[in-house]
Amino acid sequence: MTARLFPLFADLRDRTVLVVGGGSVARRKVAALLDTGARIVIGAPALDPGLAALADEGRIETIHGDFDAAWLDDIWLVIAATDDGAVNRAIAATAETRRIWANVVDDAELSSIHLPARVERGPLQIAISSGGGAPMLARHLREQLETQFDESLGVLAELLRRSRASIRERLPDLPARRRFFDRILAGPIPALLRRGDAISAERALQANIGAASPVRGRVALVGAGPGDPGLLTLRALRLLNEADVILHDRLVSADVLALARRDAELIEVGKQVGGDHDATQSAIHRLLVDHTLAGKRVVRLKGGDPFVFGRGGEELEALRLHGIDFEVVPGITAAIACGAYAGIPLTHRDHAQSVRFVTAHTKSDDDGIDWRALAQDRQTLAFYMGVSGLERIRDRLIAHGRSASTPVALVENGTRASQRVITGTLGELPELARAHRVSAPAILFVGEVAALATRLHWFGATPLQRAPAPAARGEPLARAA
Ligand code: SAH
């Protein structure tokens, strides 16, 4: 990977900037520097009329002649804007040894600092860089942004700047301040400014500041879906963008977490396999309550849907006990998502009139599961958390009458780039999983529809089939045609 440029905004007030070159390119660079408060010095044998006029007005200083290393004395930044490549190179080289930032016009390689394409609205600036590789693209984006952001944004930025101190004083707590600004920006003030009514906007802002008080945090219990971030709901995405704290399970994919607000605090509260689940659960309850009472906007992010084998209900009970407000955002549960991404329709007119979501995560024989009902045909079973209990699932279902030839499919890492689908029959299920080393997270489908994966698969790798015969273990795995 090539190194990235680091974006900075420079305070050039009363700092000397040298522009070498006296033509139109130099004039454009000087124009961009004029309102920065920098002391601008132009070095060139001759100046174009525009630059000469600026010099006459005393807005820039000039040095006449060819570039000399002594011009770099006491300089912070130099812009090489001559039409002579050798001179530009000499300027860049000298600046480098003197640790002075240098921009060589139209030469990304020689530049230690790049000047971005800019969109300006009052004090607000949006800077775009392509890293020097595609300046036309940056320019194109700038033109698009120019049409998107109207001039009133500058007035808004200025208004907020003037009120900054009083807002801070009123709301010293950062999350509370963030909520205040979210409310202001979603409220009528931007529209008032777009209509040019700065006086009403200012009055509305002052009224809001006066009424502002730190408010209590709240919790959103959010389903993150199975992994592919494209399967998040719009509401989940919005909440991830607003959250101060995100408590997430290990099951939540990195791609989803990457969409969280940059400065949100991410806390993984995943339960360790074999760990004490009840202790972990009460630690989660405590984290939820503590952060919320501290005024934070908390997102409790769970894989799939929070109410499907997610203990979401228990967490809400704990919040209710403390009188904390919450909302619940459903997510796409593993069975639905993995079915879709593996080409397994969960119901089918010819094969299955119902579907059941079952957890296989029970240890004892007296597990309270109605195996007789599960063993009935013309239904699809989706077993969550099943990887370690496949033997039992097979034995129970067959003992209660489901045929050993019933199709099954295991979907591992469903909807993610690493998705694997393994198809076979109920009778060979444990061997199937062992042969292909299936690991969590994986979901098991049992029923006629599981066989459709070999024909309807469309995402990721082609389904793997059947366990290799014992003698052939270790050979390349068979793949469906
Ligand atoms: N609330 C979650 C389920 C939590 S239980 C949901 O609605 O999906 C965890 C189980 O979900 C895992 O053991 C596995 O069986 C299943 N699972 C979750 N994500 C999965 C994925 N991306 N691929 C396959 N199975 C998944």
Side-chain angles (χ1 to χ4, degrees), residues 204-376:
L205 181 63
Q206 293 312 331
N208 270 286
I209 295 172
S213 65
V215 285
R216 289 184 83 176
R218 53 177 296 135
V219 177
L221 179 62
V222 177
D228 180 346
L231 298 179
L232 281 173
T233 61
L234 292 176
R235 183 171 302 191
L237 185 61
R238 180 170 61 71
L239 288 162
L240 285 176
N241 276 310
E242 289 172 359
D244 300 310
V245 178
I246 297 172
L247 301 172
H248 66 91
D249 290 346
R250 223 157 21 130
L251 199 55
V252 176
S253 75
D255 289 345
V256 166
L257 293 175
L259 296 172
R261 212 187 70 219
R262 263 306 173 93
D263 44 357
E265 187 185 350
L266 292 177
I267 304 174
E268 188 192 300
V269 293
K271 300 177 190 90
Q272 298 302 315
V273 179
D276 182 343
H277 283 200
D278 288 335
T280 322
Q281 195 63 48
S282 56
I284 293 172
H285 295 172
R286 215 161 30 244
L287 279 171
L288 276 172
V289 169
D290 289 352
H291 282 294
T292 314
L293 293 183
K296 305 277 174 62
R297 279 172 302 190
V298 179
V299 164
R300 173 70 175 106
L301 192 61
K302 285 175 166 286
D305 179 87
F307 278 0
V308 177
F309 306 129
R311 297 185 81 160
E314 292 168 45
E315 296 180 11
L316 296 187
E317 301 266 12
L319 295 174
R320 182 97 323 149
L321 215 59
H322 287 83
I324 292 170
D325 289 340
F326 55 75
E327 68 178 292
V328 183
V329 181
I332 301 189
T333 190
I336 305 262
C338 295
Y341 276 53
I344 300 173
L346 300 187
T347 67
H348 191 291
R349 265 196 318 161
D350 301 333
H351 307 302
Q353 278 67 45
S354 69
V355 52
R356 290 179 194 244
F357 298 170
V358 192
T359 170
H361 192 73
T362 48
K363 291 265 145 51
S364 66
D365 275 356
D366 179 25
D367 50 24
I369 294 179
D370 184 353
W371 288 101
R372 217 152 57 122
L374 292 186
Q376 274 160 29

Side-chain angles (χ1 to χ4, degrees), residues 226 251 303-305 308-310 333-334 338 383-385 411 413-414 416 441-443:
L251 199 55
D305 179 87
V308 177
F309 306 129
T333 190
C338 295
F383 282 99
Y384 288 68
M385 298 178 274
V411 181
N413 285 314
R416 304 174 187 210
I443 193 161

